[in-house]
Amino acid sequence: MAFPATFNISLYSGDTYEFVIRPKNSDGTDFSLTGFSSTMTIATSRGASPTFSTTAQTVVNTTLNTITCTILPGVNNSLTPGTNYVYDVQISNGSTRVYTLLTGNIAITEDVIP
């Protein structure tokens, strides 16, 4: 496995943002997500005490071995343009296996308001 990958996200304030992760084994085959759940955490900093932290929606599809991550408008609207955010997407089978699949920075562009 070659986890985690890095992907930086640019969000337009108030919009829905969605992406799909397809984890692979080191030999290029699909990583089986059977028995795994996922989380996407967005925060102002890494570590145990960020000044702001929230989660985005994640859906694990064990048939396709994909994770769909969706930052809904309610979450997006809680992010302040100009603030630097970080995120990661992790999977866990409960207690014995936890993997960070994707990580990066999030930049917010303010919406045009008439």
Side-chain angles (χ1 to χ4, degrees):
M1 289 180 251
F3 307 142
T6 300
F7 179 71
N8 294 323
I9 297 172
S10 295
L11 294 178
Y12 199 71
S13 185
D15 287 0
T16 299
Y17 187 87
E18 186 172 76
F19 60 95
V20 176
I21 301 170
R22 293 175 179 85
K24 303 286 185 184
N25 293 307
S26 57
D27 64 2
T29 60
D30 287 344
F31 180 89
S32 174
L33 293 171
T34 300
F36 282 88
S37 61
S38 63
T39 57
M40 179 178 180
T41 304
I42 301 168
T44 49
S45 64
R46 299 188 184 283
S49 300
T51 56
F52 172 85
S53 178
T54 189
T55 58
Q57 176 181 306
T58 61
V59 176
V60 175
N61 182 321
T62 56
T63 302
L64 298 175
N65 289 313
T66 61
I67 302 160
T68 301
C69 300
T70 308
I71 302 172
L72 296 168
V75 170
N76 192 337
N77 284 329
S78 70
L79 306 176
T80 305
T83 301
N84 295 318
Y85 294 95
V86 294
Y87 79 95
D88 63 26
V89 178
Q90 292 184 321
I91 58 171
S92 171
N93 71 347
S95 61
T96 60
R97 295 170 65 195
V98 176
Y99 300 109
T100 301
L101 300 179
L102 192 63
T103 188
N105 298 307
I106 297 178
I108 312 297
T109 300
E110 193 163 2
D111 196 3
V112 176
I113 301 172

